[in-house]
Amino acid sequence: MSSPSIGDPELKPFPDHTQLPESDGTFVKNFQEHPQSILLTDSLGTILQQLHPDGQYAIGQDCGIYWREPQPPEQGAIAPDWFYVPNVPSRLHGEIRRSYVLWREFMAPIIALEFASGDGSEERDATPLFTATGKTQKPGKFWVYERIIRIPYYGIFEIKTNKLEVYHLVDVSYQKVEQNERGHYEIPLLNVELGLWQGRYQNQDPQLWLRWWDLDGNLLLIGHEQAELERQKTEQERQRAEQAEFQLQQERQRAERLAELLRSQGINLEYLE
């Protein structure tokens, strides 16, 4: 009996994102994850518009990346807390993505970020898929990102300790990225720096958040920050205009007083002109 070949109607095709589970049933680990993801996505808008004027990119937040096809299929998925994939449509055939199926699109994310609730050991787990004897085991996130999906940049943010590590794929392995003089990690493929910012977001108390800066060290603002900046600029321009009008009025009054003084002394102003 011959095995099925490519094009054989008996050959089972790879499932797509509409046929694969969108969840493995686990819970989000902490209440900071979703605000943190929104903050990262919101502030990156201007950079993404510059990089993708055609709108061809996708951002996943706690969504599955399918990198192999085992049974059950969700065992072949991994779900970064936040990731960005360039040069792919945000929707597939008009449908909202339920997951990102790597074996169908062949475009690895540029960066994946994990928000660790614990000590980060799960996020640094480099356990391979196969044991030394060839048996299959559950692989670690670090190993999957580094060896299979090969994501160029991988960040781990430990929320309890406010510790941030960033790794860059060099040849076949991850190397730690060193901070620059601003204490940020440069992500050249995205034209940004990644770092920690102290402040209040949504209804959370002031704390450290992951934020983006441009390569000149300017913080990339979210919507209400940009609106506040525009409000301050408008207010400053109004104050400058009022100050200029006040100065003009004072000069006009001085000129009028001088003219009155000269007239009182019998000086012909028309002759002076």
Side-chain angles (χ1 to χ4, degrees):
M1 180 177 179
S2 62
S3 59
S5 60
I6 295 176
D8 192 315
E10 295 182 3
L11 185 66
K12 180 184 175 183
F14 284 137
D16 64 18
H17 72 114
T18 64
Q19 301 164 314
L20 292 163
E22 71 273 15
S23 171
D24 62 0
T26 59
F27 293 103
V28 173
K29 301 287 195 316
N30 63 74
F31 276 55
Q32 191 176 348
E33 283 193 15
H34 285 312
Q36 176 64 86
S37 294
I38 296 168
L39 178 58
L40 287 168
T41 302
D42 188 7
S43 58
L44 200 57
T46 55
I47 294 292
L48 293 174
Q49 288 175 3
Q50 294 169 7
L51 293 175
H52 306 287
D54 58 358
Q56 293 293 292
Y57 68 89
I59 289 178
Q61 302 176 19
D62 212 24
C63 297
I65 300 175
Y66 276 88
W67 58 277
R68 69 186 185 108
E69 190 185 10
Q71 287 298 328
E74 54 265 34
Q75 291 184 1
I78 193 165
D81 291 321
W82 191 95
F83 64 94
Y84 150 72
V85 190
N87 305 320
V88 297
S90 60
R91 290 178 174 237
L92 289 178
H93 309 297
E95 295 189 36
I96 295 174
R97 290 180 179 273
R98 294 174 55 185
S99 57
Y100 185 73
V101 187
L102 187 64
W103 65 64
R104 282 189 171 271
E105 300 194 60
F106 308 108
M107 180 66 71
I110 289 293
I111 184 171
L113 299 172
E114 293 283 2
F115 316 139
S117 296
D119 61 2
S121 56
E122 179 183 348
E123 289 73 20
R124 298 183 184 89
D125 186 355
T127 302
L129 179 61
F130 297 103
T131 66
T133 59
K135 291 184 178 180
T136 302
Q137 60 185 346
K138 182 180 179 180
K141 286 184 176 181
F142 196 98
W143 184 86
V144 174
Y145 295 154
E146 176 188 51
R147 298 303 176 94
I148 302 300
I149 305 178
R150 297 183 59 76
I151 301 175
Y153 289 91
Y154 174 37
I156 302 172
F157 177 37
E158 294 180 25
I159 293 175
K160 285 185 178 180
T161 61
N162 294 320
K163 180 181 179 182
L164 173 61
E165 290 180 356
V166 176
Y167 297 86
H168 175 41
L169 190 65
V170 179
D171 295 329
V172 296
S173 62
Y174 276 141
Q175 306 294 324
K176 275 189 178 181
V177 178
E178 297 296 327
Q179 295 180 346
N180 62 18
E181 67 278 4
R182 290 183 284 271
H184 301 159
Y185 299 90
E186 295 181 8
I187 315 293
L189 294 177
L190 199 46
N191 292 338
V192 295
E193 298 175 356
L194 179 67
L196 296 176
W197 169 82
Q198 176 77 30
R200 181 187 296 274
Y201 181 63
Q202 293 191 359
N203 67 332
Q204 304 275 2
D205 291 335
Q207 59 192 14
L208 287 175
W209 300 87
L210 283 180
R211 293 290 300 262
W212 307 108
W213 285 259
D214 65 23
L215 295 178
D216 293 322
N218 301 304
L219 181 68
L220 299 185
L221 303 180
I222 55 177
H224 77 83
E225 291 173 335
Q226 186 65 45
E228 175 61 20
L229 181 63
E230 293 299 325
R231 187 196 67 78
Q232 292 178 2
K233 287 182 179 179
T234 301
E235 177 63 18
Q236 290 172 354
E237 291 173 357
R238 183 189 66 79
Q239 291 178 358
R240 283 195 293 268
E242 287 183 351
Q243 183 65 23
E245 177 61 26
F246 177 73
Q247 291 175 349
L248 181 62
Q249 186 176 8
Q250 283 187 320
E251 292 176 1
R252 187 182 301 115
Q253 290 174 349
R254 283 195 294 267
E256 290 175 352
R257 287 195 296 269
L258 177 60
E260 182 63 27
L261 176 62
L262 293 174
R263 280 194 295 267
S264 67
Q265 295 177 356
I267 298 175
N268 190 335
L269 297 180
E270 294 181 358
Y271 176 77
L272 292 177
E273 293 176 356

